[in-house]
Amino acid sequence: MRGKQTYIIKWFLLWFFLTSPNLPAQAQKDPELLSWNELIQLYHQDVPPPALNEKLHKLLTTPFVRNTASDASRKPLKPTIIAVGKVLRVAQWNIERGLEFDAIRLAFTDSKQFNALMEDKGSKADDRARDEIREELRILQQSDLIVLNEVDWGVNRTRFRNVAAELAHAFGMNYAYGVEFVEVDPITMGLDQQVVLREVEEAYSEPHQDRDEMIAYVKQIMTPDPQRYRGLHGTAILSRYQLDNVRLIPFSICAHDWYADEKKISISEKVEGKVSTAVFKEQLVRQVRRGGRMMLLADIADPDFPSGQVTVVATHLEDVTTPANRQKELEEILDRIQTIHHPVILTGDMNTSTHSGVPVSVTRALKERFGDAKWWAEQGAAQAARYMTPFGWAYSASVGTIGLVRKVDDPTSTSIPLVGNNPEAKFFGMLEKFRFVDGGAFDFRGDKCCSSNERDGTLANSNERSEKGFVPTSELGKSFGLVGRYKLDWMFIRPPNLTKPKDKDEADHFAPHYGRTLRALNHSIPQRISDHNPITVDLPLGIGLPPHDGEGH
């Protein structure tokens, strides 16, 4: 009898723990990290062994999730805006791998120390610019939800940091990290320094302190470290709200094969014992990776949210492909979220450049490959142009590239001056026409009363517009003459009850307000913090706000 009672009690307890809605969800198990030898194997073997392939698959489909901030009872800030009330402030930033880690960390946490860092880096900001920077720091530091693109973990160029985890700890936030790529290129892993070392040596005709310093730097930063190298690169969601139901979903379309396609351009020729221009070009721009583009989704909950819940969709669409393929990636996102009945925040680097691949200067390419170094910005390109080494070739090629002269102010328009029909327009048309199963729509409104700079026009409430089009989020460095300017990073918000994307009569509860591009902050140090400017938007948490009235703030 006692045995039967014990059996019944055990089954009751099991049933209770499995069905009780008030118990915390069991923590998701992390995927297993790859070893150094496995990473090398993933580079050399086009078809990995089944066990290794399965391990890679789990890494690319299982997010890393930490809700330590919620476990420590930390609460959202919910900043208050005049005439709007409390808001959920959302920030998005492609942080360029986290190369300027300290600047990013301080931008979100400590204005005083950020100012000191500006001085250390020789900032040229004048008084007016410093006022803008202070205001943008204030705005950024009140963000309760942050989406970061291009986030490294265990890579030489970012000193082997777990960038997402370290930033989340510094901000006092929860985080979810989704692996997009595993970096297996021998150059990225530090297995072949010779091309760059030779180039540094040839950039100066005589021994020079800067030359010696740069050689030492390359040797230090690119020394292989099998114990610390993880080779992970992806997207992160940081939040003061608990992150639940986190999903990492790779796109089924392969818009660019970062393994097979990149490996095809591998060149091994040398000319008269020196590294050829073709070899240097390959080493500079090639990135052999496993993985592909994806979406990272998470749910956040709060009594102040409409329906109590919001779904966050973070993504980074392919740049080395056509606008048509980016539209296919968007279609996969829309198919995934169509059945959601509560508000949705879709944000990230959408790469809406109107063409295949966003051009970069040689200095930027070097920094992205080998990390931050003053030499790249102040010495490398200038010396290269003088001596016409492969650096000089890359410098000349970057300035002469047709794509660099493009100034795409408004990728939402049907045509672009000097370019013609806009192949990116369909992307925004898809979003505007899209309807959730309950009839809900993304907010495309743009009103002077709800934009950050009193401009109107499509999406002005959620993304800052300029006199012509949008404020760019990505710009080619002006030191290279012609400037490429692009609006690549976007906020798309599905508020409650909105069924017509531009319906000005609908209430503003959780509708986008005051979309901003924080350009002054990003340009506060020489060569910028990132090659992308951060953006923010405010989502009112109040109830019963009046509809748009066309008046000022």
Side-chain angles (χ1 to χ4, degrees):
M1 184 68 179
R2 183 182 296 273
K4 185 176 180 180
Q5 289 176 334
T6 303
Y7 176 80
I8 293 173
I9 291 171
K10 284 182 177 179
W11 272 107
F12 173 79
L13 290 173
L14 177 62
W15 171 84
F16 176 79
F17 278 103
L18 289 175
T19 60
S20 176
N22 298 317
L23 292 174
Q26 186 174 354
Q28 182 171 273
K29 186 178 179 180
D30 291 340
E32 188 177 357
L33 298 174
L34 297 163
S35 71
W36 177 258
N37 289 335
E38 287 172 330
L39 291 164
I40 294 174
Q41 194 175 3
L42 284 171
Y43 174 77
H44 287 292
Q45 292 188 301
D46 293 352
V47 180
L52 178 56
N53 197 51
E54 177 62 20
K55 191 173 180 180
L56 174 65
H57 174 74
K58 287 184 178 178
L59 190 59
L60 296 171
T61 57
T62 308
F64 294 84
V65 182
R66 298 290 185 275
N67 278 307
T68 50
S70 293
D71 293 341
S73 300
R74 293 195 174 101
K75 302 299 182 183
L77 300 177
K78 299 181 182 178
T80 300
I81 308 298
I82 296 175
V84 173
K86 291 184 178 182
V87 300
L88 164 60
R89 179 162 297 158
V90 185
Q92 181 273 336
W93 199 354
N94 178 326
I95 59 171
E96 196 181 10
R97 297 147 167 77
L99 295 171
E100 293 286 354
F101 178 85
D102 288 335
I104 297 164
R105 174 177 59 84
L106 294 175
F108 281 97
T109 59
D110 194 318
S111 298
K112 186 176 181 179
Q113 287 192 38
F114 185 87
N115 186 67
L117 180 140
M118 286 174 56
E119 301 307 316
D120 290 343
K121 289 183 173 288
S123 176
K124 305 298 183 183
D126 58 21
D127 289 343
R128 180 178 179 182
R130 288 176 185 272
D131 287 341
E132 288 185 60
I133 292 166
R134 278 191 289 270
E135 174 62 12
E136 291 182 1
L137 285 170
R138 184 191 66 80
I139 291 168
L140 195 66
Q141 290 169 11
Q142 292 181 327
S143 302
D144 280 326
L145 180 67
I146 303 166
V147 168
L148 301 177
N149 294 124
E150 292 197 11
V151 184
D152 270 359
W153 179 1
V155 184
N156 302 53
R157 64 198 174 204
T158 42
R159 306 299 177 97
F160 303 102
R161 293 181 185 277
N162 183 340
V163 173
E166 292 185 38
L167 289 178
H169 177 75
F171 303 169
M173 302 179 90
N174 307 306
Y175 79 92
Y177 179 67
V179 177
E180 191 171 38
F181 297 110
V182 179
E183 307 281 3
V184 297
D185 194 301
I187 296 293
T188 305
M189 296 176 70
L191 294 173
D192 185 0
Q193 305 173 0
Q194 299 309 310
V195 170
V196 177
L197 287 174
R198 179 74 61 83
E199 179 55 31
V200 172
E201 291 170 353
E202 291 188 6
Y204 299 93
S205 58
E206 300 293 337
H208 189 279
Q209 181 181 358
D210 287 334
R211 170 180 178 262
D212 294 340
E213 288 178 355
M214 198 60 234
I215 291 173
Y217 173 79
V218 172
K219 286 182 177 179
Q220 175 195 5
I221 201 69
M222 297 309 295
T223 297
D225 191 331
Q227 298 303 315
R228 294 195 294 166
Y229 190 86
R230 296 287 178 258
L232 306 183
H233 185 72
T235 288
I237 300 172
L238 281 64
S239 173
R240 291 192 173 89
Y241 299 92
Q242 180 164 307
L243 296 167
D244 295 317
N245 192 26
V246 182
R247 295 91 79 198
L248 171 56
I249 305 172
F251 293 131
S252 60
I253 177 177
C254 181
H256 177 70
D257 190 328
W258 283 90
Y259 179 76
D261 293 347
E262 296 289 304
K263 234 181 168 186
K264 288 176 185 176
I265 65 173
S266 179
I267 308 168
S268 58
E269 65 176 292
K270 293 190 177 182
V271 180
E272 296 179 355
K274 295 182 179 181
V275 178
S276 71
T277 297
V279 172
F280 183 71
K281 176 183 178 181
E282 172 236 333
Q283 304 288 15
L284 184 63
V285 302
R286 189 188 78 163
Q287 294 184 80
V288 181
R289 308 155 134 181
R290 294 284 190 169
R293 303 298 180 179
M294 51 76 166
M295 62 184 106
L296 180 66
L297 301 90
D299 294 335
I300 56 176
D302 190 273
D304 289 336
F305 294 163
S307 306
Q309 189 173 3
V310 172
T311 294
V312 184
V313 185
T315 193
H316 187 179
L317 303 187
E318 186 57 69
D319 61 330
V320 189
T321 193
T322 63
N325 278 337
R326 283 190 285 272
Q327 291 154 20
K328 292 177 182 177
E329 291 177 329
L330 174 63
E331 188 174 11
E332 289 193 36
I333 294 173
L334 299 180
D335 287 345
R336 176 67 57 172
I337 65 176
Q338 190 169 24
T339 58
I340 295 175
H341 292 269
H342 51 257
V344 173
I345 300 168
L346 169 59
T347 186
D349 180 354
M350 307 295 175
N351 273 312
T352 47
S353 61
T354 73
H355 56 88
S356 175
V358 178
V360 296
S361 68
V362 59
T363 298
R364 213 74 210 174
L366 288 166
K367 181 174 179 179
E368 290 182 2
R369 173 68 83 173
F370 302 108
D372 183 28
K374 190 176 181 181
W375 188 88
W376 296 130
E378 298 184 355
Q379 300 292 332
Q383 292 288 347
R386 178 180 176 185
Y387 292 109
M388 291 308 294
T389 61
F391 275 156
W393 162 82
Y395 176 91
S396 300
S398 66
V399 172
T401 300
I402 293 175
L404 303 192
V405 304
R406 289 188 173 181
K407 183 183 175 187
V408 183
D409 293 303
D410 189 354
T412 68
S413 63
T414 55
S415 64
I416 300 172
L418 304 180
V419 175
N421 290 334
N422 175 16
E424 220 71 73
K426 186 178 178 181
F427 179 93
F428 297 93
M430 288 171 61
L431 277 165
E432 186 172 357
K433 294 175 182 176
F434 174 75
R435 294 295 182 272
F436 292 83
V437 291
D438 60 3
F442 282 107
D443 196 323
F444 269 62
R445 290 178 287 185
D447 311 280
K448 292 182 179 180
C449 64
C450 298
S451 65
S452 61
N453 54 8
E454 298 187 347
R455 296 188 185 278
D456 55 12
T458 298
L459 291 167
N461 297 353
S462 47
N463 297 272
E464 185 175 357
R465 294 191 72 101
S466 60
E467 184 177 356
K468 296 179 180 180
F470 293 86
V471 177
T473 60
S474 179
E475 303 158 283
L476 185 69
K478 291 185 178 180
S479 60
F480 291 87
L482 299 173
V483 181
R485 302 176 61 194
Y486 304 90
K487 169 66 171 169
L488 304 181
D489 307 84
W490 296 87
M491 296 277 189
F492 302 112
I493 310 299
R494 179 259 170 106
N497 306 319
L498 185 71
T499 57
K500 297 178 181 179
K502 295 181 178 179
D503 186 357
K504 294 186 178 182
D505 294 326
E506 190 57 64
D508 289 341
H509 187 201
F510 215 76
H513 281 62
Y514 315 137
R516 292 177 173 88
T517 298
L518 308 184
R519 185 182 186 278
L521 168 61
N522 192 44
H523 287 254
S524 59
I525 62 175
Q527 301 304 313
R528 299 167 290 172
I529 297 173
S530 169
D531 56 353
H532 289 244
N533 302 324
I535 59 175
T536 64
V537 71
D538 292 339
L539 307 177
L541 300 175
I543 299 174
L545 292 174
H548 299 267
D549 57 11
E551 301 297 328
H553 290 188

